[in-house]
Amino acid sequence: MGEDSSLVVAQAVQDAPIISSYNDRIRPLLDTVDSLRHLMITREGIQLPTIVVVGDQSSGKSSVLESLAGINLPRGQGICTRVPLIMRLMHQPTPEPDLSLEFNGKVVRTDEEHVSEAINLATEEIAGFGKGISNSPLTLEVRKNGVPDLTMVDLPGITRVPVHGQPENIYDQIKDIIMEYITPEESIVLNVLSATVDFTTCESIRMSQTVDKNGGRTLAVVTKSDKSPEGLLEKVTADDVNIGLGYVCVRNRIGEETYEEARVEEARLFESHPQLSKIDKSIVGIPVLAQKLVQIQAASIARNLPAIVKSINDKLNLNIAEAKRMPQKMSSPTEAMTAFMQIIGMAKESLRKILVRGEFDEYPDEQNMHCTARLVEMLNQFSDELHKHSESDPAEKFLMDEIMVLEETKGIGLPNFLPRTAFLTILQKRVKGISSIPTIFAEKVWSYVEEIVISVMMHHSEHYYQLQLSFRRAGHNLIAKMKERSINWVTEIVEMEKQTDYTCNPEYLSDWNKLMVQQDAFMTYVLNNVDWPSIIKLEGFGEIDVSHLKKYSHVLQQAFDLKMRMTAYWKIVLKRLVDCMALHLLLSIGNLVNKEFEAEIVNELMGPGGGIERMLEESPAVASKRQKINKSIELLKKSKEVVAKIMDKIGTYND
């Protein structure tokens, strides 16, 4: 190429904008995402498509950004970027640039000459003086003719060794910030690599590979190509570090070169250098980098925006539903009383469902709240304990209690009559032996019911913390009364079983007759056999050792009869205790829910210091939650308006 031709090319490069603009399609998309970012929609857990610029310290990151924006960024020793710098580049047709900084809720205007100083001042206000870093972002907006329409987030350069004035954990702090920005799938990672180093040793590559193993959302820009041209072609074509979006090799601005002059020199370098000229022109130069970034960014936004819209709508609906579930702010005692009665009504209905009707749709996965099933299990356990008690073992000390009682209750009279006193004495002993079981069972049941009642009341009054202490106290008092009544009733039932023997149940005589059929064989076996084995098998008792009974022949027949009567009657006693307990519980729990509950709660809360007036005071937790939900709803509604304006243009862009 001749000298005149080179001058023409250089002049063309110098006069051309960095990238041909297609603002009509890209700018609206970018403005939409920038508006969402400005609204801080990410605080709602909604991620935005973002170009995140990362690189090791001294990789030339600042030089690349300067070349794209055409402005000077802060330079110096150590970390220059101490906060996330959101760079919004916007092409405008007017020749006069317009620069501004936004941070800490304020906007500061600046110009090309003072922008570096303004960034330093803003950084000091955000991150403090010295060399510490902060995760609070600083936004730089550059409206300038010829710049690409891009929004990028420049992050602090990665350094492992803290310099004077930096915290010892500076690497961990920087890593945490970088990982926060590059982890979301929506993020595009612009990895700045120096041609002078082995790419596989770059810390920025290691970090990006942890979140983007295949490199599908990573683009690499290779700086300082002029300083280390040897082997660069092989490094970018071999791609040992999985850069899925490809490489772009650039030349940094040197010394006092203008940005236009730097572009001319860059074009000349990749055109004429013996080694660098072999690199395909589609992956060299700042204009190519700008073009790639604009296209990748636009495609990412267009691809992700429908999902963003869905996320905004879903979160908005969730927040609106949550707001509707929040208790209304009380402005008068009448409103407070209405809310109070609603709480009682809802709690009462819940208790009726789970304690009386056996419905548990409100607590499908909480087995402890499936009350009727749990009460049946407790009742079955109560029955088992009664039947397994030693007093209920018919073979225990066979006939000895009966013989002893008959000996001590004998009187002058006919020998074949059973004294009723003997039967009552044995009955009372056995009832006394199991008397603690019904009491313990009643206490256990009411402890469980108390847990359920308190849980239901706390659930329905969760937004009225001022009332919960009163509700809890009322629940304790109510269950204490119910428990006392049950224990008194149980005590009375047990005493009734001790006092007399009676049943109209025909099973008593039926069972007694079946047992007595064995009497003759039993008496014959015990009294008439000399070399007899000491074990005999009796129906209803199993194998019985009778070796000790022969010496009581004078009372053995009466003892056998008494034993069979008690065995038949004891089955009736145990069934009666279980049945009566079941009926008592059903009646008591029904009364608790339908009669006692509401009266006790109203009496507690309407009494002195009960707390109904305090419903007019909203709890700090509820007030904070209400404020948070309302802020989220307002933010999401604004975000919805922002994206609604661009959605009809997505189809045009894709076409």
Side-chain angles (χ1 to χ4, degrees):
M1 184 182 291
E3 185 177 345
D4 292 340
S5 299
S6 297
L7 290 173
V8 171
V9 172
Q11 188 63 44
V13 170
Q14 185 166 337
D15 294 341
I18 196 169
I19 178 174
S20 298
S21 174
Y22 37 103
N23 293 355
D24 290 344
R25 291 189 297 179
I26 294 176
R27 189 70 253 165
L29 290 170
L30 197 51
D31 284 343
T32 299
V33 174
D34 285 342
S35 296
L36 293 176
R37 184 176 286 109
H38 180 75
L39 288 170
M40 296 188 176
I41 192 69
T42 52
R43 291 182 177 177
E44 297 297 321
I46 298 174
Q47 300 298 333
L48 299 175
T50 304
I51 296 176
V52 183
V53 186
V54 298
D56 292 4
Q57 193 171 323
S58 303
S59 63
K61 187 161 57 74
S62 295
S63 296
V64 172
L65 297 174
E66 286 180 338
S67 298
L68 290 170
I71 61 171
N72 294 334
L73 295 175
R75 295 294 188 96
Q77 296 272 329
I79 301 174
C80 298
T81 304
R82 298 196 290 126
V83 299
L85 177 63
I86 301 173
M87 296 183 63
R88 296 186 63 200
L89 308 184
M90 306 173 68
H91 168 76
Q92 67 175 16
T94 57
E96 190 66 30
D98 183 7
L99 281 69
S100 63
L101 292 169
E102 184 174 347
F103 60 98
N104 291 348
K106 62 183 178 181
V107 177
V108 176
R109 306 194 70 80
T110 185
D111 55 37
E112 289 183 289
E113 182 180 353
H114 300 96
V115 63
S116 180
E117 179 184 356
I119 291 174
N120 283 331
L121 291 173
T123 299
E124 288 175 352
E125 184 171 329
I126 296 171
F129 296 93
K131 298 181 180 180
I133 64 172
S134 169
N135 201 8
S136 298
L138 164 63
T139 299
L140 168 63
E141 185 173 290
V142 179
R143 296 174 181 266
K144 188 176 180 181
N145 183 268
V147 300
D149 283 285
L150 286 171
T151 296
M152 301 172 289
V153 180
D154 181 27
L155 299 179
I158 303 167
T159 180
R160 279 196 170 275
V161 181
V163 299
H164 181 68
Q166 290 178 341
E168 289 297 319
N169 66 339
I170 188 68
Y171 169 79
D172 293 327
Q173 290 187 31
I174 293 173
K175 179 184 176 183
D176 289 344
I177 294 176
I178 290 175
M179 296 304 291
E180 178 183 332
Y181 276 88
I182 68 174
T183 297
E185 290 290 330
E186 296 80 3
S187 294
I188 301 298
V189 183
L190 179 59
N191 214 318
V192 181
L193 310 171
S194 173
T196 62
V197 302
D198 181 356
F199 295 169
T200 60
T201 65
C202 292
E203 188 69 16
S204 61
I205 287 289
R206 193 184 68 81
M207 287 188 186
S208 63
Q209 284 183 337
T210 62
V211 297
D212 184 29
K213 295 185 184 303
N214 298 323
R217 51 187 179 90
T218 301
L219 174 67
V221 53
V222 183
T223 65
K224 305 179 183 180
S225 300
D226 52 329
K227 293 185 178 181
S228 187
E230 294 81 7
L232 183 56
L233 175 60
E234 289 74 16
K235 289 170 76 171
V236 298
T237 53
D239 187 23
D240 294 331
V241 289
N242 291 334
I243 304 297
L245 296 177
Y247 294 80
V248 179
C249 302
V250 300
R251 170 194 178 273
N252 296 335
R253 185 169 65 100
I254 299 174
E256 299 300 321
E257 288 178 346
T258 66
Y259 293 105
E260 292 77 12
E261 291 169 347
R263 286 171 54 201
V264 171
E265 292 301 322
E266 180 183 57
R268 182 180 292 119
L269 175 71
F270 288 107
E271 184 71 33
S272 60
H273 192 279
Q275 281 134 339
L276 298 180
S277 61
K278 296 177 183 178
I279 302 176
D280 193 286
K281 298 300 180 286
S282 65
I283 62 169
V284 298
I286 289 294
V288 169
L289 174 62
Q291 182 82 20
K292 280 183 175 287
L293 288 173
V294 168
Q295 291 173 337
I296 290 169
Q297 178 179 250
S300 177
I301 294 173
R303 182 175 62 252
N304 287 293
L305 204 52
I308 292 173
V309 172
K310 183 179 184 303
S311 295
I312 290 173
N313 287 330
D314 289 347
K315 288 189 174 291
L316 179 59
N317 292 335
L318 284 173
N319 276 280
I320 290 174
E322 182 70 13
K324 288 180 179 179
R325 288 194 294 269
M326 291 285 289
Q328 293 184 351
K329 292 182 71 173
M330 305 292 106
S331 58
S332 68
T334 302
E335 281 189 38
M337 178 58 71
T338 301
F340 168 63
M341 295 309 296
Q342 286 176 343
I343 293 171
I344 293 179
M346 289 187 294
K348 186 175 178 181
E349 178 58 22
S350 291
L351 291 174
R352 188 177 284 123
K353 287 170 70 174
I354 63 177
L355 281 171
V356 178
R357 299 203 297 264
E359 301 169 10
F360 50 83
D361 54 286
E362 293 182 17
Y363 307 93
D365 301 320
E366 298 180 48
Q367 290 193 338
N368 194 53
M369 302 298 283
H370 303 173
C371 299
T372 54
R374 302 293 82 78
L375 287 171
V376 168
E377 290 171 356
M378 284 189 272
L379 190 66
N380 290 339
Q381 186 179 6
F382 167 63
S383 177
D384 289 343
E385 288 182 19
L386 288 176
H387 285 84
K388 291 177 181 178
H389 194 275
S390 60
E391 294 293 349
S392 302
D393 184 358
E396 181 78 11
K397 296 185 298 183
F398 191 70
L399 297 189
M400 291 309 298
D401 282 347
E402 287 75 14
I403 291 171
M404 183 193 70
V405 169
L406 286 170
E407 291 281 31
E408 298 304 318
T409 56
K410 61 189 175 184
I412 299 173
L414 294 174
N416 61 342
F417 278 88
L418 279 177
R420 185 162 179 261
T421 306
F423 187 86
L424 288 177
T425 299
I426 294 176
L427 175 63
Q428 289 168 359
K429 176 181 177 294
R430 299 186 75 173
V431 171
K432 184 179 180 181
I434 55 100
S435 62
S436 64
I437 297 177
T439 302
I440 293 171
F441 171 67
E443 291 175 344
K444 179 181 178 181
V445 167
W446 285 114
S447 293
Y448 170 70
V449 173
E450 180 178 32
E451 179 185 341
I452 298 301
V453 169
I454 297 296
S455 177
V456 168
M457 288 196 297
M458 293 302 101
H459 170 69
H460 287 290
S461 63
E462 63 180 336
H463 298 305
Y464 300 96
Y465 87 106
Q466 310 96 320
L467 299 183
Q468 288 197 327
L469 180 60
S470 298
F471 273 130
R472 192 179 293 275
R473 185 166 55 239
H476 287 315
N477 291 341
L478 174 60
I479 299 302
K481 293 177 183 177
M482 302 301 292
K483 184 188 293 187
E484 183 180 7
R485 291 178 197 168
S486 284
I487 291 175
N488 289 339
W489 176 86
V490 166
T491 302
E492 188 172 350
I493 289 296
V494 170
E495 285 301 312
M496 285 193 294
E497 294 293 351
K498 285 182 183 179
Q499 291 302 316
T500 189
D501 50 332
Y502 172 77
T503 182
C504 64
N505 192 330
E507 287 185 13
Y508 166 68
L509 285 177
S510 174
D511 288 346
W512 175 68
N513 286 325
K514 288 178 183 177
L515 294 170
M516 287 297 292
V517 168
Q518 306 174 86
Q519 186 181 39
D520 290 343
F522 174 81
M523 295 296 296
T524 300
Y525 188 86
V526 173
L527 299 178
N528 299 332
N529 284 290
V530 179
D531 299 323
W532 54 315
S534 62
I535 303 297
I536 186 174
K537 189 172 183 179
L538 290 177
E539 184 180 347
F541 297 88
E543 292 186 342
I544 303 296
D545 184 357
V546 295
S547 59
H548 59 288
L549 296 178
K550 194 168 187 176
K551 59 183 177 181
Y552 301 109
S553 58
H554 63 289
V555 74
L556 194 58
Q557 187 171 2
Q558 282 184 302
F560 188 90
D561 188 358
L562 182 56
K563 180 70 173 181
M564 299 307 119
R565 291 176 187 270
M566 181 56 63
T567 300
Y569 185 65
W570 190 246
K571 289 173 62 178
I572 303 297
V573 171
L574 296 186
K575 284 183 180 179
R576 194 154 55 200
L577 285 175
V578 175
D579 288 347
C580 287
M581 185 64 78
L583 295 174
H584 169 73
L585 286 179
L586 289 174
L587 176 64
S588 299
I589 291 174
N591 286 338
L592 163 72
V593 175
N594 296 315
K595 298 178 182 179
E596 309 278 354
F597 175 76
E598 186 171 343
E600 185 68 35
I601 301 299
V602 170
N603 181 63
E604 174 66 34
L605 270 77
M606 296 303 291
I612 188 66
E613 299 86 357
R614 294 200 299 274
M615 287 185 72
L616 298 174
E617 306 170 9
E618 192 167 52
S619 74
V622 172
S624 175
K625 184 176 181 180
R626 190 190 303 279
Q627 184 181 25
K628 182 179 179 181
I629 290 174
N630 289 338
K631 280 185 176 180
S632 293
I633 290 174
E634 182 181 357
L635 167 60
L636 291 164
K637 283 182 176 178
K638 287 181 180 178
S639 301
K640 188 173 181 179
E641 292 173 3
V642 168
V643 296
K645 294 176 182 178
I646 192 61
M647 284 307 294
D648 59 339
K649 299 181 181 179
I650 297 293
T652 303
Y653 175 76
N654 288 333
D655 293 341

